[in-house]
Amino acid sequence: MVSSQHEAMHRLFQRHPEVFGRAFTALKLPFPEPRSVALLPNDLTEIEPLERRVDTLLRIDTAEGPFLLLVEAQGRDDKRKFSAWAYYLAHVHAKYDLHPVLLVICQDTATAAWAAGPFHIGPRQWTSLIVRPLVLGPHNVQPITDLRTAVDDVPLATLSAITHANDPGINDILKTLATALQTIDEDDALIFAELTELGLGKSRAGQIWRQLMTVDLSFFRSETQQRIRAEARSEGRAEGRVEGLAEAVLRMLDRRGIAVATDVRDRITSCTDAELLLSWLDKADSAATTDDLFVVES
């Protein structure tokens, strides 16, 4: 049976397939910039008794031409798995007449090292097929603890949190993601919160995330935030993001027990400069008083 943790790692790519392009750019992998991404049927069954189902199958169109991306989530090494991967690659190549790339998502370095292969199929005298997956895991996905980076790219920050479930610094990674979720649309935030919880499963990181969300989900559902989101939908996403950032600054200060005077609150909520609000949000994480937010760095 497929676990919810396994399900979450490829659902992220299904809901936000563009995240792979940004991940590859960050890792300096030799793939051209995607022009469009299309989700294809993931059922590769050909013979009735034999079911073959890849986690996610995407068609990526680039300036250099299209290719297929198969996404698999792998929680442990499995000596039988590479034969299934070989089948997937050969089948989609024959079916779509496009070159495929197999992307495997892992949560620990040992599994990632195993999944990278390469896997040889054929007798020792002559290799008939080589399976060489591209692996994303804690060894090459950056742990995102910088709030500005997380706010700018929530899907990649979510992938970072899931792949670094066993990282000693997972607390900071999860706190950064939780704060970043406060700056986006409520519906999107709840989806990313759910994906993160599913991806972390019953691990210690999952427990930390559920504790964070016990507090932060009240933020999403509060009357003030409901009003802000309703206004954002009618006034446009750009304005909604600014208001979400202002609310996130105040939320961070409140969480850290820093008193906010009325004039300071008005200054924050009336600000319409997203970049300035982001800088205040960065400083709020370590500020001793609200005065620290407004110090101009030379």
Side-chain angles (χ1 to χ4, degrees):
M1 179 181 294
V2 177
S3 68
S4 58
Q5 185 173 355
H6 176 280
E7 184 81 7
M9 285 193 276
H10 65 84
R11 275 180 59 195
L12 177 60
F13 282 83
Q14 290 179 343
R15 288 183 180 273
H16 296 273
E18 74 280 359
V19 71
F20 101 92
R22 293 194 294 273
F24 287 1
T25 299
L27 296 172
K28 296 182 173 58
L29 295 171
F31 291 91
E33 184 69 22
R35 288 181 171 177
S36 65
V37 179
L39 183 65
L40 301 178
N42 64 339
D43 191 345
L44 307 183
T45 304
E46 282 293 327
I47 304 174
E48 188 65 28
L50 181 65
E51 181 178 342
R52 300 282 194 178
R53 193 177 298 275
V54 67
D55 287 344
T56 297
L57 178 60
L58 304 171
R59 174 189 167 116
I60 312 296
D61 289 301
T62 75
E64 298 179 16
F67 67 94
L68 300 174
L69 183 72
L70 295 81
V71 184
E72 283 276 288
Q74 193 67 26
R76 59 181 177 81
D77 63 339
D78 183 347
K79 300 298 186 290
R80 300 168 299 175
K81 191 67 176 184
F82 74 89
S83 62
W85 290 343
Y87 175 89
Y88 297 161
L89 291 167
H91 178 82
V92 298
H93 182 265
K95 182 175 182 177
Y96 294 102
D97 193 26
L98 291 173
H99 289 295
V101 174
L102 174 62
L103 173 63
V104 179
I105 312 296
C106 301
Q107 288 186 316
D108 64 271
T109 54
T111 302
W114 165 81
F119 303 100
H120 298 259
I121 295 178
R124 64 176 181 81
Q125 297 88 349
W126 193 268
T127 298
S128 298
L129 183 65
I130 298 176
V131 178
R132 182 170 169 256
L134 174 61
V135 179
L136 293 181
H139 65 296
N140 60 1
V141 174
Q142 177 187 5
I144 296 179
T145 56
D146 177 70
L147 191 55
R148 184 180 296 267
T149 301
V151 169
D152 287 343
D153 200 337
V154 171
L156 190 57
T158 303
L159 178 63
S160 172
I162 292 174
T163 54
H164 285 276
N166 302 315
D167 193 297
I170 188 62
N171 287 38
D172 291 336
I173 297 171
L174 295 179
K175 287 179 182 178
T176 300
L177 176 59
T179 304
L181 291 184
Q182 297 175 8
T183 69
I184 64 174
D185 180 81
E186 176 192 359
D187 293 336
D188 289 341
L190 290 173
I191 289 172
F192 285 119
E194 177 192 3
L195 286 174
T196 303
E197 181 173 350
L198 291 174
L200 296 175
K202 297 181 179 179
S203 64
R204 183 183 71 87
Q207 296 173 356
I208 295 171
W209 182 251
R210 282 185 283 276
Q211 291 171 356
L212 285 172
M213 289 298 97
T214 298
V215 175
D216 288 340
L217 283 179
S218 64
F219 168 83
F220 297 131
R221 293 168 180 164
S222 68
E223 291 184 9
T224 300
Q225 192 60 17
Q226 291 286 0
R227 175 180 56 78
I228 289 173
R229 296 307 183 193
E231 292 173 357
R233 289 189 180 96
S234 62
E235 296 174 6
R237 295 185 66 87
E239 293 182 13
R241 181 170 184 264
V242 166
E243 292 182 349
L245 285 169
E247 194 71 19
V249 174
L250 295 172
R251 181 71 174 182
M252 175 66 77
L253 294 171
D254 179 66
R255 180 188 294 169
R256 300 191 61 245
I258 297 175
V260 181
T262 301
D263 60 329
V264 174
R265 182 177 298 274
D266 291 343
R267 181 176 178 179
I268 293 171
T269 56
S270 63
C271 180
T272 58
D273 186 334
E275 286 299 314
L276 183 57
L277 285 165
L278 274 171
S279 71
W280 292 347
L281 191 55
D282 285 336
K283 294 175 182 177
D285 191 39
S286 58
T289 69
T290 55
D291 291 339
D292 294 337
L293 300 183
F294 310 121
V295 174
V296 179
E297 298 178 357
S298 58

